[in-house]
Amino acid sequence: MSFARIPKPDELIKIGYTPPKTAWQDTPVDFRPGTWSYAGAAKNLTALDLPNPRAWQPSDIDWKLPDNWQAVILEGMKERLEKYRSFRLFMDICVRCGACADKCHFYIGTGDPKNMPVLRAELIRSVYRRYFTAAGRVFGRLAGARDLTVDVLKEWFYYFYQCTECRRCAVFCPYGIDQAEITMVGRELLNLVGCNINWVVEPAANCFRTGNHLGIQPGGIKDMIEFLADDIEDRTGVRVEVPLNRKGAEILFVTPSADYFADPGTYTFMGYLMLFHELGLDYTMSTYASEGGNFGLFTSHEMIKRLNAKIYAEARRLGVKWIIGGECGHMWRVIHQYMDTMNGPADFLEMPVSPITGTRFENARSTKMVHVVEFTADLIRNGKLKLDPSRNDHLRVTFHDSCNPARAMGFFEEPRYVIKETCRHFYEMREDTIREKTFCCGAGAGLGNDENIEMRMRGGMPRAMAVKEVREKHDVNRLACICAIDRATLTTLMEYWVPDVAVMGVHELVGNALVMTGENERLTDLRGTPIRENGDS
Amino acid sequence: MPIFASLLFIVIAILFPLFAASAGWHGLLGIVIPCAAWAVFVFGFVWRVVVWARSPVPFRIPVTSGQQRSLSWIKADAAENPSGRWGVALRMFLEVALFRSLFRNTRTDLYKGRPVYGRTKNLWLFGWLFHASFLVILVRHLRLFSEPVVPMADTLAAVDGMFEIGVPTLYLSDLCLLAAAAFLLLRRIVIPRVRYISLAQDYIPLLLVLCIAGSGLLMRHFDKIDLVAVKELASGWICFVPTLPEGLTAVFFVHLFCVSALLVWFPLGKLMHMGGVFLSPTRNLANDSRRRRHVNPWNAPVKVHTYEEYEEEFRNQMKAVGLPVDKE
Ligand code: HEM
Ligand code: SF4
Ligand code: SF4
């Protein structure tokens, strides 16, 4: 990743919070390089039957919108007002108290008032007032209403692709107004006239066809997994087998494809494989449902459902009893809050019961899908794993709560328990930056692309600064997380703001600490870094 | 700009009743406008809530601010991450009665090149005082509408005036309402980013409340009003036999006109948060979507890419690397 074209950290941090002189309605959007993402390529829109595929870029004057684009958007708004109580209510009840304003990492990182969640919502709320409320129709701007023009549409594009749907604002709002929900609807509307970003539609198109967002075909998946199994053998002397598309297994395991494709996710993936091998788990992975992540979440509710459908379909075809899901943030938002509703009921599966401990996962009784960290925490609690935490003594770890498991599940203690059982140097970041108040990596929801690099570094700044603090105080050198997007984006973020801190998944710690039957003495961790004896010197 | 438009609105809301009172239009001020405003309020409020309540909740999307209920040995946070009906009731109670989420408020500043998050309870404190005193004053007003006076109104009035400052005693709630409304207004004007997001409709209700409270205090302590006359007027509305007693003052008409304006304003805009907060899907749903299936009433089939289509495309490759296939 090159930071050549963006300001140095000590320049970037000089952020002003004084709003501009002109009212926000009169301040046009500026598509400054480094702060937006490239448009979705026509071939990807076509692959997904999305409207208005064409060659264009957001910096163009002419966006090549269909002639009736206004009618399409307004019709789409009407439809969504009728389909989502959340959207309708959130359009109506905001009192503009500003409690959410300085809670958004993009506002903290840019000082741009339109990144205050309340103003991000007003971008669309003003249009709602103009076309759907009596006061707005009659009093216009005085009532906070404005016409839907091309400039307004461009503003939507810029700011709805500058929101990572992280829900931090919603924690602080007295009515729970969730900008993520508004952004999701805003992006759906933009999609109706063909305004999407390629970092979202290309992964979505790939998932649709090949099952995973990188577009890896079945042969490639098998190769990569074999390659990682070789690495495991190299580090531990134990050969693990990874069943693919095997019918009749008890458990289907689905994880984000980045876990088996790119560092540092691969080390997390090695951790899963070693664990499953050691347990003798009767499981399989699938090349058809080879992606846990769901780029539909960043496109539209319909696209979530289209992509998510594969998991249950494959579970049914393979005849498994239940499903385990890997470490991933937005994947778990979808599995926890949408999957069963959209593609269930999963009545062809059975109540998830750990074959090792006998624990019944009552909390996943209906969806039949268990988080791998829940699964592992239960194993450790029941003393089923032999762990040697001293093998992680060269690591001084802090934990980043990923937005979705934090604010859409409440997944706080499970990962902390596993971390504390597998390593001996764990330090929490400042209270205002973890758990339900966690700060986003700044690049979720499809924004983790190279062209958007300045905005990513700005949005990730609050998270990075909290890491910097524990780095200075406790000499922390590892940032653990349970999200595949984080593993990619936080790595870049750390390079820029806090060099010397590397990023890892929680199951990498497990893999390091797990004592396997028949293993050689471990001289290195899964990354090949030597393990010093007797902890830190 | 919005602030000037709002001030203009308020000046009219004060001058119009003064003018109309001196022109002798007491019937309009005392009967027609208040009754019409009440009708708009009731009808509008119900209509808005019905529209919300009838719109579906397709997905279970609570925002979780505490530990989920998962493994039996991990302590779940029932109030911040409810897993059932009682938890939701507790969460909603804390939100509505104590403004729980607003209590979390922090204030972000850049300090020595890094963001710091300070505690700030101002908005919570004055916001809460504002609403609590508003409620107390509303209940106290019941004594004007009931004969014999409902005991609750009297008891509350006794507590509210317990410090017995002045004659007649000054009510604490009046002071609180004035102070809190003034704080909320000043905050809107003084804090640059809050001013930046404020619309005319954000200033107007606060200004109306200040006018209502101010004229109320005037009638109680300075330009004293004949309470018997007011009760007669009120019972006229309630019994549908409009009467216009003697002794109603210009200040009273200003008070009543501003209340009417607020009543009409209420269902038109953001004051509906009073009803809306109870319906907010990020707050009033239990976080149990893996335990119990949530049904979407408009769930419709979508176009998917089936396994058969997938195998069709990749069969040769799958066979070549030894992956099982359904069709040879
Ligand atoms: C039930 C939970 C409620 C919560 C959490 C809540 C919260 C708030 C907040 C945060 C404000 C903004 C203050 C500002 O202007 O900065 C506000 C304003 C206001 N609320 Fe509420 N409120 C609630 C219920 C009510 C109820 C029951 C009423 C009934 C009269 C009400 C009437 C008002 C009025 C008149 C304003 C002030 C005018 C304004 O700022 O526009 N609220 N409320
Ligand atoms: S905290 Fe909620 S009510 Fe207040 S401005 Fe933000 S979205 Fe609106
Ligand atoms: S959801 Fe997150 S990124 Fe979006 S406005 Fe809220 S705080 Fe900002």
Side-chain angles (χ1 to χ4, degrees):
Chain A
M1 180 62 54
S2 159
F3 300 118
R5 282 178 294 120
I6 68 170
K8 298 258 170 313
D10 49 345
E11 279 299 309
L12 203 78
I13 194 69
K14 292 181 186 150
I15 301 157
Y17 295 107
T18 318
K21 293 249 173 332
T22 46
W24 63 267
Q25 296 93 334
D26 307 322
T27 313
V29 44
D30 171 21
F31 281 88
R32 195 157 48 85
T35 66
W36 49 272
S37 311
Y38 293 148
K43 69 170 189 334
N44 296 321
L45 271 70
T46 309
L48 292 168
D49 309 305
L50 293 177
N52 201 15
R54 70 210 182 280
W56 71 290
Q57 283 306 338
S59 50
D60 297 347
I61 303 284
D62 178 9
W63 280 20
K64 302 182 193 157
L65 299 170
D67 290 335
N68 63 341
W69 70 271
Q70 272 164 316
V72 171
I73 296 248
L74 292 176
E75 187 51 42
M77 253 177 108
K78 178 165 181 289
E79 183 189 333
R80 282 158 186 82
L81 286 165
E82 283 159 12
K83 278 164 100 172
Y84 298 91
R85 183 183 297 169
S86 52
F87 182 46
R88 168 148 245 150
L89 201 73
F90 296 164
M91 287 296 102
D92 282 334
I93 65 173
C94 170
V95 297
R96 282 165 300 282
C97 65
C100 57
D102 56 354
K103 308 306 179 287
C104 176
H105 50 284
F106 281 116
Y107 177 68
I108 300 175
T110 60
D112 179 346
K114 285 178 195 165
N115 271 325
M116 296 192 272
V118 46
L119 216 45
R120 204 190 302 285
E122 289 289 309
L123 300 179
I124 197 163
R125 203 178 273 129
S126 51
V127 172
Y128 165 73
R129 289 198 194 98
R130 166 69 184 77
Y131 298 93
F132 299 94
T133 70
R137 272 196 212 105
V138 178
F139 294 106
R141 174 138 177 193
L142 201 54
R146 60 177 184 165
D147 289 338
L148 177 59
T149 62
V150 171
D151 285 336
V152 169
L153 192 81
K154 290 186 173 179
E155 208 176 30
W156 284 10
F157 182 91
Y158 190 69
Y159 290 104
F160 292 151
Y161 289 104
Q162 215 166 94
C163 162
T164 43
E165 305 180 358
C166 78
R167 312 184 103 193
R168 190 169 195 268
C169 44
V171 168
F172 293 88
C173 172
Y175 321 114
I177 295 177
D178 181 8
Q179 178 57 41
E181 194 72 5
I182 301 175
T183 293
M184 282 163 75
V185 170
R187 288 187 181 190
E188 275 191 22
L189 296 174
L190 286 165
N191 261 288
L192 296 178
V193 292
C195 298
N196 205 327
I197 63 173
N198 204 45
W199 203 252
V200 169
V201 267
E202 181 149 322
N206 283 340
C207 285
F208 193 68
R209 172 168 164 249
T210 64
N212 60 77
H213 85 272
L214 296 154
I216 315 163
Q217 302 186 0
I221 297 179
K222 186 153 196 283
D223 278 356
M224 264 181 258
I225 291 180
E226 290 299 324
F227 182 81
L228 293 174
D230 292 345
D231 274 0
I232 294 175
E233 189 169 12
D234 185 51
R235 308 278 195 272
T236 67
V238 177
R239 182 75 208 176
V240 305
E241 294 300 326
V242 187
L244 281 172
N245 300 357
R246 180 166 69 88
K247 284 193 175 168
E250 180 184 353
I251 295 163
L252 171 65
F253 178 60
V254 181
T255 200
S257 58
D259 277 359
Y260 50 84
F261 181 75
D263 293 350
T266 44
Y267 308 115
T268 309
F269 188 74
M270 286 155 74
Y272 307 142
L273 299 190
M274 291 158 68
L275 175 73
F276 296 161
H277 170 88
E278 187 58 23
L279 297 172
L281 202 67
D282 178 15
Y283 80 107
T284 183
M285 288 187 63
S286 158
T287 59
Y288 167 67
S290 49
E291 174 67 66
N294 190 316
F295 283 75
L297 187 66
F298 315 139
T299 312
S300 67
H301 287 88
E302 186 187 351
M303 195 62 70
I304 303 178
K305 183 169 173 181
R306 288 174 68 182
L307 300 182
N308 174 262
K310 293 187 182 194
I311 296 182
Y312 277 154
E314 187 67 341
R316 190 192 286 266
R317 186 184 74 89
L318 296 175
V320 301
K321 292 195 179 129
W322 55 286
I323 313 170
I324 295 182
E327 294 180 15
C328 181
H330 73 286
M331 157 181 174
W332 272 94
R333 163 91 134 118
V334 171
I335 288 163
H336 187 72
Q337 297 199 322
Y338 295 102
M339 175 156 89
D340 202 357
T341 300
M342 286 179 165
N343 290 309
D347 44 13
F348 52 92
L349 297 173
E350 290 174 18
M351 169 86 188
V353 179
S354 169
I356 320 297
T357 65
T359 299
R360 294 161 56 86
F361 294 98
E362 289 286 346
N363 64 325
R365 192 168 56 207
S366 174
T367 298
K368 318 279 200 301
M369 187 146 174
V370 174
H371 197 294
V372 70
V373 174
E374 290 170 336
F375 178 71
T376 303
D378 171 64
L379 292 168
I380 300 179
R381 176 78 178 187
N382 286 289
K384 299 293 181 191
L385 299 184
K386 223 166 130 199
L387 296 169
D388 178 1
S390 73
R391 291 177 186 174
N392 282 316
D393 275 354
H394 59 307
L395 305 179
R396 303 177 69 84
V397 181
T398 189
F399 180 65
H400 161 74
D401 286 280
S402 309
C403 308
N404 285 299
R407 288 184 282 258
M409 290 176 87
F411 206 76
F412 302 123
E413 294 306 331
E414 297 87 345
R416 283 177 173 77
Y417 178 76
V418 174
I419 291 172
K420 287 176 191 161
E421 293 291 323
T422 51
C423 83
R424 299 198 292 193
H425 305 292
F426 172 61
Y427 305 94
E428 289 278 17
M429 283 180 275
R430 191 177 274 268
E431 185 210 343
D432 292 292
T433 69
I434 56 170
R435 295 180 188 258
E436 75 277 5
K437 297 193 208 107
T438 187
F439 274 110
C440 182
C441 63
L447 309 187
N449 51 65
D450 290 354
E451 65 268 20
N452 192 34
I453 187 70
E454 178 180 334
M455 197 47 68
R456 286 171 58 186
M457 295 305 109
R458 288 182 178 280
M461 183 273 283
R463 166 45 73 231
M465 288 304 187
V467 177
K468 193 168 172 183
E469 196 177 348
V470 282
R471 163 100 191 129
E472 286 162 4
K473 235 194 231 155
H474 303 291
D475 210 13
V476 159
N477 57 12
R478 269 306 156 81
L479 177 55
C481 60
I482 46 169
C483 174
I485 290 186
D486 279 337
R487 287 191 276 275
T489 61
L490 285 176
T491 300
T492 316
L493 189 73
M494 290 300 113
E495 264 174 57
Y496 180 80
W497 290 106
V498 206
D500 307 323
V501 174
V503 182
M504 74 188 323
V506 168
H507 273 78
E508 184 181 341
L509 286 169
V510 175
N512 283 342
L514 185 70
V515 179
M516 300 174 77
T517 14
E519 70 178 6
N520 300 336
E521 189 195 348
R522 299 257 194 115
L523 299 175
T524 69
D525 64 11
L526 295 179
R527 297 187 183 201
T529 316
I531 304 172
R532 264 174 290 151
E533 286 294 44
N534 299 326
D536 49 310
S537 44
Chain B
M1 254 349 260
I3 180 84
F4 295 117
S6 321
L7 282 172
L8 186 68
F9 180 95
I10 289 300
V11 169
I12 294 173
I14 295 172
L15 288 185
F16 174 76
L18 286 180
F19 164 79
S22 67
W25 302 349
H26 289 196
L28 179 72
L29 288 176
I31 293 165
V32 178
I33 291 180
C35 292
W38 179 250
V40 170
F41 170 75
V42 171
F43 179 80
F45 192 96
V46 170
W47 180 69
R48 294 291 300 273
V49 171
V50 167
V51 168
W52 287 332
R54 279 173 45 183
S55 49
V57 181
F59 304 109
R60 187 155 283 248
I61 51 166
V63 171
T64 57
S65 321
Q67 171 62 39
Q68 69 166 348
R69 182 171 147 214
S70 60
L71 299 163
S72 58
W73 46 274
I74 293 179
K75 192 169 174 302
D77 189 339
E80 303 284 12
N81 189 346
S83 60
R85 225 173 280 150
W86 288 107
V88 168
L90 180 61
R91 188 181 205 195
M92 289 312 293
F93 172 79
L94 291 175
E95 288 294 352
V96 172
L98 300 175
F99 295 9
R100 170 71 186 96
S101 293
L102 213 51
F103 189 73
R104 250 190 280 272
N105 204 4
T106 58
R107 169 193 159 149
T108 312
D109 289 295
L110 274 191
Y111 176 72
K112 292 191 179 160
R114 80 178 46 172
V116 288
Y117 314 97
R119 301 269 159 268
T120 166
K121 303 280 183 241
N122 289 347
L123 179 59
W124 172 80
L125 178 69
F126 285 98
W128 190 84
L129 269 185
F130 176 86
H131 289 84
S133 44
F134 204 106
L135 183 66
V136 168
I137 292 170
L138 275 184
V139 175
R140 274 204 285 102
H141 274 69
L142 285 181
R143 79 197 156 107
L144 299 173
F145 296 87
S146 53
E147 189 60 56
V149 174
V150 285
M152 189 171 57
D154 269 348
T155 320
L156 201 61
V159 176
D160 201 356
M162 65 186 171
F163 289 113
E164 305 202 352
I165 307 164
V167 180
T169 46
L170 188 64
Y171 287 126
L172 282 181
S173 54
D174 292 354
L175 280 188
C176 288
L177 185 68
L178 272 180
F183 173 86
L184 292 177
L185 184 64
L186 279 181
R187 170 180 177 278
R188 241 181 224 297
I189 297 169
V190 172
I191 303 177
R193 66 161 169 263
V194 183
R195 183 170 64 236
Y196 201 67
I197 58 176
S198 293
L199 305 169
Q201 49 184 301
D202 300 320
Y203 298 109
I204 288 173
L206 285 168
L207 288 167
L208 278 176
V209 168
L210 282 171
C211 283
I212 293 168
S215 52
L217 281 173
L218 272 183
M219 285 187 290
R220 184 168 165 81
H221 298 282
F222 302 101
D223 182 28
K224 294 203 175 116
I225 182 96
D226 176 6
L227 279 182
V228 178
V230 175
K231 268 195 108 148
E232 211 177 303
L233 177 74
S235 74
W237 299 331
I238 297 172
C239 307
F240 295 101
V241 275
T243 39
L244 264 182
E246 291 295 310
L248 298 176
T249 61
V251 177
F252 174 77
F253 285 125
V254 171
H255 189 72
L256 195 57
F257 188 79
C258 287
V259 170
S260 307
L262 193 63
L263 283 174
V264 172
W265 195 271
F266 205 99
L268 291 179
K270 67 172 194 179
L271 299 186
M272 282 305 293
H273 64 270
M274 174 188 177
V277 62
F278 292 94
L279 292 171
S280 181
T282 54
R283 290 279 189 264
N284 73 2
L285 291 172
N287 176 32
D288 62 353
S289 34
R290 267 193 297 158
R291 190 176 289 116
R292 230 186 311 266
R293 181 164 188 258
H294 177 90
V295 177
N296 171 0
W298 50 259
N299 197 11
V302 294
K303 186 178 163 197
V304 297
H305 191 67
T306 62
Y307 176 80
E308 288 69 32
E309 291 167 289
Y310 172 86
E311 190 183 298
E312 203 56 44
E313 180 175 357
F314 296 115
R315 185 170 298 115
N316 290 339
Q317 191 188 114
M318 291 169 80
K319 285 193 341 208
V321 298
L323 287 172
V325 288
D326 278 1
K327 247 170 49 192
E328 281 307 317

